[in-house]
Short mmCIF file of all heavy atoms in Angstrom, two decimals:
data_model
loop_
_atom_site.label_atom_id
_atom_site.label_comp_id
_atom_site.label_asym_id
_atom_site.label_seq_id
_atom_site.Cartn_x
_atom_site.Cartn_y
_atom_site.Cartn_z
N ILE Z 576 -23.35 9.54 11.46
CA ILE Z 576 -22.19 10.31 11.01
C ILE Z 576 -21.05 9.36 10.69
O ILE Z 576 -20.34 9.53 9.69
CB ILE Z 576 -21.78 11.37 12.05
CG1 ILE Z 576 -22.90 12.42 12.22
CG2 ILE Z 576 -20.48 12.06 11.64
CD1 ILE Z 576 -23.18 13.29 11.02
N LEU Z 577 -20.79 8.38 11.54
CA LEU Z 577 -19.69 7.45 11.32
C LEU Z 577 -19.93 6.60 10.01
O LEU Z 577 -18.99 6.40 9.25
CB LEU Z 577 -19.53 6.51 12.53
CG LEU Z 577 -19.05 7.17 13.84
CD1 LEU Z 577 -19.11 6.20 14.96
CD2 LEU Z 577 -17.65 7.78 13.66
N GLU Z 578 -21.22 6.20 9.84
CA GLU Z 578 -21.51 5.45 8.63
C GLU Z 578 -21.32 6.31 7.39
O GLU Z 578 -20.84 5.86 6.33
CB GLU Z 578 -22.97 4.97 8.73
CG GLU Z 578 -23.39 3.91 7.71
CD GLU Z 578 -22.59 2.65 7.79
OE1 GLU Z 578 -22.32 2.17 8.92
OE2 GLU Z 578 -22.22 2.13 6.70
N LEU Z 579 -21.72 7.59 7.54
CA LEU Z 579 -21.57 8.57 6.40
C LEU Z 579 -20.08 8.68 6.03
O LEU Z 579 -19.75 8.68 4.85
CB LEU Z 579 -22.14 9.89 6.84
CG LEU Z 579 -21.82 11.08 5.95
CD1 LEU Z 579 -22.52 10.96 4.63
CD2 LEU Z 579 -22.24 12.42 6.64
N MET Z 580 -19.21 8.84 7.03
CA MET Z 580 -17.79 9.00 6.78
C MET Z 580 -17.20 7.80 6.07
O MET Z 580 -16.37 7.92 5.13
CB MET Z 580 -17.03 9.31 8.08
CG MET Z 580 -17.33 10.71 8.62
SD MET Z 580 -16.39 11.06 10.09
CE MET Z 580 -14.73 11.11 9.50
N LYS Z 581 -17.60 6.59 6.52
CA LYS Z 581 -17.14 5.33 5.85
C LYS Z 581 -17.61 5.31 4.39
O LYS Z 581 -16.85 4.94 3.50
CB LYS Z 581 -17.69 4.11 6.59
CG LYS Z 581 -16.89 3.79 7.85
CD LYS Z 581 -17.56 2.66 8.64
CE LYS Z 581 -17.61 1.35 7.90
NZ LYS Z 581 -18.27 0.32 8.71
N ASP Z 582 -18.86 5.68 4.17
CA ASP Z 582 -19.44 5.63 2.85
C ASP Z 582 -18.72 6.64 1.91
O ASP Z 582 -18.36 6.30 0.78
CB ASP Z 582 -20.96 6.01 2.93
CG ASP Z 582 -21.64 5.90 1.61
OD1 ASP Z 582 -21.38 4.86 0.88
OD2 ASP Z 582 -22.43 6.77 1.25
N ILE Z 583 -18.47 7.87 2.41
CA ILE Z 583 -17.79 8.90 1.62
C ILE Z 583 -16.37 8.47 1.30
O ILE Z 583 -15.88 8.69 0.22
CB ILE Z 583 -17.89 10.25 2.30
CG1 ILE Z 583 -19.33 10.79 2.23
CG2 ILE Z 583 -16.87 11.25 1.69
CD1 ILE Z 583 -19.52 12.05 2.99
N GLN Z 584 -15.73 7.82 2.31
CA GLN Z 584 -14.31 7.44 2.12
C GLN Z 584 -14.18 6.49 0.94
O GLN Z 584 -13.27 6.60 0.13
CB GLN Z 584 -13.78 6.82 3.41
CG GLN Z 584 -12.30 6.41 3.26
CD GLN Z 584 -11.80 5.68 4.51
OE1 GLN Z 584 -12.57 5.00 5.21
NE2 GLN Z 584 -10.53 5.88 4.81
N THR Z 585 -15.12 5.56 0.79
CA THR Z 585 -15.05 4.61 -0.30
C THR Z 585 -15.29 5.31 -1.65
O THR Z 585 -14.79 4.90 -2.66
CB THR Z 585 -16.11 3.47 -0.13
OG1 THR Z 585 -17.39 4.00 0.00
CG2 THR Z 585 -15.77 2.62 1.11
N LYS Z 586 -16.07 6.36 -1.58
CA LYS Z 586 -16.46 7.12 -2.87
C LYS Z 586 -15.27 7.97 -3.35
O LYS Z 586 -15.09 8.08 -4.52
CB LYS Z 586 -17.71 7.92 -2.65
CG LYS Z 586 -18.98 7.07 -2.54
CD LYS Z 586 -20.20 7.93 -2.31
CE LYS Z 586 -21.46 7.08 -2.21
NZ LYS Z 586 -22.66 7.81 -1.85
N ILE Z 587 -14.56 8.59 -2.45
CA ILE Z 587 -13.52 9.50 -2.88
C ILE Z 587 -12.10 9.04 -2.55
O ILE Z 587 -11.16 9.70 -2.83
CB ILE Z 587 -13.75 10.94 -2.31
CG1 ILE Z 587 -13.49 11.01 -0.81
CG2 ILE Z 587 -15.16 11.46 -2.66
CD1 ILE Z 587 -13.50 12.43 -0.27
N ASN Z 588 -11.98 7.85 -1.89
CA ASN Z 588 -10.73 7.18 -1.59
C ASN Z 588 -9.80 8.06 -0.80
O ASN Z 588 -8.58 8.13 -1.06
CB ASN Z 588 -10.03 6.69 -2.86
CG ASN Z 588 -8.96 5.68 -2.55
OD1 ASN Z 588 -9.14 4.84 -1.66
ND2 ASN Z 588 -7.83 5.73 -3.31
N THR Z 589 -10.32 8.81 0.18
CA THR Z 589 -9.48 9.65 1.03
C THR Z 589 -8.94 8.81 2.16
O THR Z 589 -9.49 7.75 2.51
CB THR Z 589 -10.25 10.89 1.55
OG1 THR Z 589 -9.37 11.79 2.17
CG2 THR Z 589 -11.34 10.45 2.56
N SER Z 590 -7.80 9.24 2.76
CA SER Z 590 -7.26 8.59 3.96
C SER Z 590 -7.66 9.38 5.20
O SER Z 590 -7.59 10.62 5.15
CB SER Z 590 -5.73 8.49 3.83
OG SER Z 590 -5.37 7.87 2.66
N ILE Z 591 -8.08 8.71 6.20
CA ILE Z 591 -8.62 9.40 7.41
C ILE Z 591 -7.82 9.15 8.67
O ILE Z 591 -7.44 7.95 8.94
CB ILE Z 591 -10.12 9.00 7.65
CG1 ILE Z 591 -11.02 9.34 6.49
CG2 ILE Z 591 -10.61 9.64 8.94
CD1 ILE Z 591 -12.42 8.89 6.59
N ILE Z 592 -7.52 10.20 9.37
CA ILE Z 592 -6.98 10.08 10.74
C ILE Z 592 -8.15 10.43 11.67
O ILE Z 592 -8.62 11.54 11.65
CB ILE Z 592 -5.75 10.99 11.04
CG1 ILE Z 592 -4.59 10.66 10.10
CG2 ILE Z 592 -5.33 10.91 12.47
CD1 ILE Z 592 -3.44 11.61 10.22
N PHE Z 593 -8.56 9.44 12.47
CA PHE Z 593 -9.75 9.63 13.33
C PHE Z 593 -9.30 9.73 14.78
O PHE Z 593 -8.75 8.70 15.32
CB PHE Z 593 -10.70 8.44 13.14
CG PHE Z 593 -12.09 8.66 13.64
CD1 PHE Z 593 -13.07 9.09 12.84
CD2 PHE Z 593 -12.34 8.44 14.97
CE1 PHE Z 593 -14.35 9.30 13.29
CE2 PHE Z 593 -13.65 8.63 15.47
CZ PHE Z 593 -14.65 9.06 14.60
N ILE Z 594 -9.49 10.89 15.35
CA ILE Z 594 -9.03 11.11 16.76
C ILE Z 594 -10.23 10.89 17.71
O ILE Z 594 -11.32 11.46 17.46
CB ILE Z 594 -8.56 12.55 16.95
CG1 ILE Z 594 -7.54 12.96 15.90
CG2 ILE Z 594 -7.99 12.78 18.34
CD1 ILE Z 594 -6.23 12.22 15.91
N THR Z 595 -10.05 10.05 18.70
CA THR Z 595 -11.15 9.83 19.61
C THR Z 595 -10.61 9.33 20.98
O THR Z 595 -9.51 8.79 21.10
CB THR Z 595 -12.16 8.80 19.06
OG1 THR Z 595 -13.26 8.64 19.96
CG2 THR Z 595 -11.56 7.43 18.82
N HIS Z 596 -11.45 9.49 22.01
CA HIS Z 596 -11.14 8.84 23.36
C HIS Z 596 -12.00 7.65 23.50
O HIS Z 596 -11.87 6.97 24.50
CB HIS Z 596 -11.38 9.88 24.47
CG HIS Z 596 -12.81 10.34 24.55
ND1 HIS Z 596 -13.37 11.32 23.81
CD2 HIS Z 596 -13.81 9.78 25.31
CE1 HIS Z 596 -14.65 11.40 24.10
NE2 HIS Z 596 -14.98 10.50 24.99
N ASP Z 597 -12.88 7.39 22.57
CA ASP Z 597 -13.87 6.35 22.74
C ASP Z 597 -13.55 5.12 21.87
O ASP Z 597 -13.74 5.15 20.64
CB ASP Z 597 -15.26 6.94 22.31
CG ASP Z 597 -16.46 5.95 22.58
OD1 ASP Z 597 -16.13 4.78 22.90
OD2 ASP Z 597 -17.58 6.40 22.47
#
Side-chain angles (χ1 to χ4, degrees):
I576 295 294
L577 294 173
E578 193 61 41
L579 168 68
M580 289 182 67
K581 278 173 66 180
D582 185 43
I583 288 174
Q584 183 182 30
T585 57
K586 288 178 180 173
I587 70 172
N588 199 37
T589 191
S590 303
I591 299 176
I592 297 175
F593 195 95
I594 309 295
T595 183
H596 64 274
D597 186 350

